[in-house]
Structure formats: structure tokens, C-alpha cells
Amino acid sequence: MTTLPDYNAMSDDDFRAMVRSFVEASYPDIPRHSLSRLHWNEVKPWYLILSQKGWICPTWPREHGGMGLTAGKHLIMIEEFERFGCARVNDIGPVMLGPLLLRHGTEAQKAHFLPRILSGEDVWAQGYSEPGAGSDLAAVRCEAVRDGDDWVINGQKTWCTLGMDANWIFILARTDKTVKKQAGISFLLVPMDAPGVTIRNIDNLELEAEFCEVFFDDVRVPADHIVGRVNDGWSVAKALLGHERVFIGAPRLSASALARLGHIARRAGVWNDPVFRDRYVTLQCDVMDLSDLFETYVDRLRDGREIGADVAMLKIFQSELYQRISELMMEVAAEDSGLRAPPEGDRQLHAAATWLSARPTTIFGGSTEIMRNMLAKAVLELPS
């Protein structure tokens, strides 16, 4: 594996110019500024280009095939990808599982799975939520029972984003029913083509198959497919939830939506209206504040520090800001806000798609109500 140069040694201006030049020269024939998640067969060419460049895992250490970027450099990369309208690749492996394996995985697990994430050979899905166990993940009922050298898994996972495209899924499964619910959970890696795995698609508000349910019927996986210790999956899960909430809270969605709002306002002739500009600048300041807060948590990840329950602030801030931007976008778009297809074929003018994509952000990754309770109890130490 070739170690990449230290991009952090570059000035921000030089790094931005390099990223911009690479994106403009290398981006394949894939829709830009898409507001819906594209599937693996659509984004695979871009994933492989980033993989070959060594840019598919910006925050991984360089010795493990990543770019080793600081938070500031990572934000520049996000901004340039968003500016050009690059499609979001299947990133659960690079963003979620990879950092978790680096911290909790065995040497054998790192040696096997990390290169396959980097190359795109393995595409991962997340199997946390269940019917009745969404934001309250400690209530999972999917069960794994040890049988000789295998774990035998039975149960169901739901709301697995792009799970139909994945060939592996990581899950939380109950491995001990005799202890308190947080203490009897383990973190398992499961191939999606294992006998007994069934996948059923779920359409989102835009009538697109973005999610799926995954059913496990006597699915057998080797005993060494567990990450961390048996019954200690809650500790692993909390670490991963911290990673997830950091990147769910990234300013990417809000910054991109704000740019589209400006595009729509210019077309609608209200860009120079002082009332609109006041509301726009308020949102712009919020995006800048969100970027600063995001950088704080990415710095914690890079330094190996605990994320902490206060990361809920980032997730709440991002999801509610994204919705506020989308609501002003619908107002400015006026009669065009009801169009299912983008006006004039311009995806940046499609207010309805932004509004629809913003609706579930206060639910997935932990609902806003649960996040506020978490802040109240764990951070402010308010009584239950």
C-alpha cells in the first residue's frame, strides 16, 4: 500500500485548488447535484476513481490507506465536492465501519476488511434499527446464539440505507438475555449472501428505494466475526453512534441547500430583496456556526478522544437547519415548489426534492426528541 503525501502540510488555498482541479478533470458521467441517493451501480465509477487516487477515506490514517486529513482540510474537500455537485458514494464502510475497526477490530479483521473497503470490493450496510428499537437501540431483539464455531442469528433490521446494494452488513444482536439490556449486546459482521438473509426494499417519500429491511433466519457466521468482546457491543455501538452523529451533523447538506436557495432566489428575482437577504444571511451565519461546531468534533475523532453525548447538539443543529433552509426554498420557489421534476431540467432549482429530503433528518440517526433527552440527562444532568 502506497502512503499518500501529507496533504496537511499544504496551504488551504493550494489544497483547495488541487481538489477542485482533480474533481473537474476526473468526475465521471454521473448526475451532478442529485438530491436523492444514487445506488452503487450508479456511483461505483466515482468510488473507484477516488479509491485509485487514495481519496476514498479522507479521515483514515495514512498508514492504513487514508488521507489523514485534519478537520479543516476535510471540510475543504467536502466543500469542493459539494460545489461541483459530486454524487455521494456508498460511504458506510469508509465513514463508519473503517474507523470503528481501526479502534476496536482485531489485527486479522483490519487486515481483511480495511483493504476491501478501500478498493470497493466490500460495500457495507448498517443494521442497527429494528421495529420497536430505533432511537432506543438498547431494546434490540435480533438474537445471536453461539453454536460451536458459529453465531446463529435470527431477527430483523430495518431502515438500512442502501442496504440492497451492500454485500456486508454490521449488526447489533442480543447475545445474553439474562443481563440488563445494554450489557447483553454484541457487534457482528454478516455477509449479505449468507443463507437465511432476506432483503425487502422500502420506498422513501420520493417513491425511491433508498432503504430496506433485512431478515435473518438461522443465519450462521463464524465466531470471529464479532467486533470487540462478547456482550460488549454496546460500548462499540456507542463509539460508532458518535462517529455517525458527527458525520450526519456535517455541514454538507445545509451548505449545499443554501447554495441551491441562492440559485432559486436569483431565478425568482428576489436575490436583492432586503427582507430575503436578511433571512438568507441569518441562515448563512448558521451554516458557518455549524461548520465550526463540526470541526470541533472531527478534531476529537482525529485525536482519539471520546465524542461524548454532547455530539447530539451537532446532529440537532444540522437537521433543523437543513429543514429551515428547505422551507425558505419552498417559499421562494412559489408555484414551482409543487413540481415533482426540476424546473427547466435544472436540479439546483428543485425545491420540492430538497424539502422532501430534509423531512426525515430529524428522525434518522436518533430522533431530535431522543437527542434532546440525551443532552438533558447526560450533559445538563437534569432529572429524569
Side-chain angles (χ1 to χ4, degrees):
M1 181 183 297
T2 303
T3 302
L4 295 174
D6 183 6
Y7 293 116
N8 298 318
M10 299 175 66
S11 71
D12 285 354
D13 288 343
D14 287 345
F15 181 73
R16 184 182 297 277
M18 180 190 68
V19 172
R20 180 173 297 188
S21 176
F22 170 74
V23 168
E24 292 177 348
S26 306
Y27 191 74
D29 185 21
I30 297 174
R32 294 165 56 191
H33 300 289
S34 175
L35 295 179
S36 59
R37 290 293 300 270
L38 303 182
H39 286 274
W40 173 244
N41 64 322
E42 298 171 288
V43 300
K44 183 177 179 180
W46 181 225
Y47 191 108
L48 296 181
I49 288 170
L50 293 172
S51 171
Q52 291 159 10
K53 180 72 172 176
W55 285 13
I56 195 63
C57 297
T59 62
W60 289 19
R62 289 188 294 151
E63 60 268 27
H64 289 286
M67 297 175 72
L69 296 186
T70 62
K73 288 293 193 297
H74 188 208
L75 283 171
I76 290 172
M77 194 172 186
I78 291 171
E79 287 168 358
E80 287 304 310
F81 278 37
E82 287 298 317
R83 181 196 63 81
F84 193 74
C86 298
R88 181 179 173 184
V89 298
N90 298 60
D91 54 10
I92 289 178
V95 170
M96 299 179 68
L97 183 65
L100 184 135
L101 288 178
L102 286 170
R103 185 170 182 179
H104 294 279
T106 64
E107 292 305 313
Q109 288 169 344
K110 295 175 192 176
H112 178 76
F113 289 111
L114 295 182
R116 294 165 66 94
I117 292 172
L118 288 165
S119 67
E121 186 173 356
D122 285 346
V123 177
W124 285 85
Q126 180 191 41
Y128 269 20
S129 295
E130 300 178 7
S135 296
D136 181 16
L137 288 175
V140 296
R141 292 181 294 175
C142 182
E143 183 180 29
V145 176
R146 186 67 181 265
D147 181 24
D149 293 331
D150 294 336
W151 290 100
V152 181
I153 303 169
N154 284 280
Q156 175 187 357
K157 296 295 176 179
T158 192
W159 304 118
C160 302
T161 303
L162 299 181
M164 67 290 290
D165 295 342
N167 61 334
W168 281 85
I169 185 171
F170 55 84
I171 69 168
L172 292 178
R174 187 157 301 284
T175 44
D176 190 341
K177 295 180 178 179
T178 65
V179 295
K180 66 178 184 178
K181 61 183 184 178
Q182 288 92 344
I185 295 172
S186 298
F187 190 102
L188 293 164
L189 311 176
V190 184
M192 294 288 260
D193 62 355
V197 174
T198 302
I199 301 169
R200 186 168 66 192
N201 292 352
I202 302 173
D203 288 348
N204 63 16
L205 286 172
E206 297 176 78
L207 305 181
E208 297 170 345
E210 182 180 358
F211 310 101
C212 69
E213 297 175 288
V214 183
F215 300 87
F216 304 90
D217 184 12
D218 288 334
V219 175
R220 304 184 77 92
V221 299
D224 62 2
H225 278 33
I226 193 168
V227 179
R229 298 187 302 273
V230 176
N231 295 332
D232 194 36
W234 186 245
S235 298
V236 179
K238 286 194 296 183
L240 186 53
L241 282 172
H243 281 80
E244 179 186 25
R245 284 166 185 160
V246 168
F247 288 100
I248 284 179
R252 179 182 59 83
L253 289 174
S254 290
S256 180
L258 189 70
R260 289 194 297 277
L261 173 59
H263 192 59
I264 291 171
R266 291 181 179 89
R267 179 179 180 272
V270 301
W271 177 248
N272 293 317
D273 177 79
V275 175
F276 169 79
R277 290 300 291 269
D278 181 69
R279 297 173 70 184
Y280 180 89
V281 169
T282 298
L283 294 170
Q284 188 176 43
C285 289
D286 286 342
V287 171
M288 294 170 68
D289 287 342
L290 175 64
S291 297
D292 287 342
L293 186 61
F294 174 68
E295 189 167 349
T296 298
Y297 288 101
V298 174
D299 280 341
R300 289 190 194 178
L301 286 177
R302 176 148 311 282
D303 295 342
R305 290 177 283 156
E306 292 294 327
I307 296 300
D310 53 285
V311 73
M313 293 188 298
L314 183 65
K315 199 272 179 182
I316 293 169
F317 192 176
Q318 150 59 24
S319 58
E320 294 187 347
L321 174 57
Y322 186 33
Q323 289 186 352
R324 291 200 304 274
I325 295 171
S326 74
E327 287 157 7
L328 181 54
M329 191 181 297
M330 291 287 277
E331 183 179 330
V332 172
E335 64 270 16
D336 286 346
S337 64
L339 297 178
R340 178 160 171 75
E344 304 169 11
D346 186 345
R347 292 170 182 267
Q348 294 195 74
L349 295 173
H350 200 186
T354 302
W355 188 86
L356 286 171
S357 69
R359 294 310 96 196
T361 58
T362 49
I363 300 174
F364 63 63
S367 69
T368 294
E369 293 80 5
I370 294 294
M371 296 295 98
R372 292 187 189 281
N373 284 343
M374 183 187 303
L375 287 171
K377 293 178 182 178
V379 180
L380 301 178
E381 299 181 353
L382 297 176
S384 300

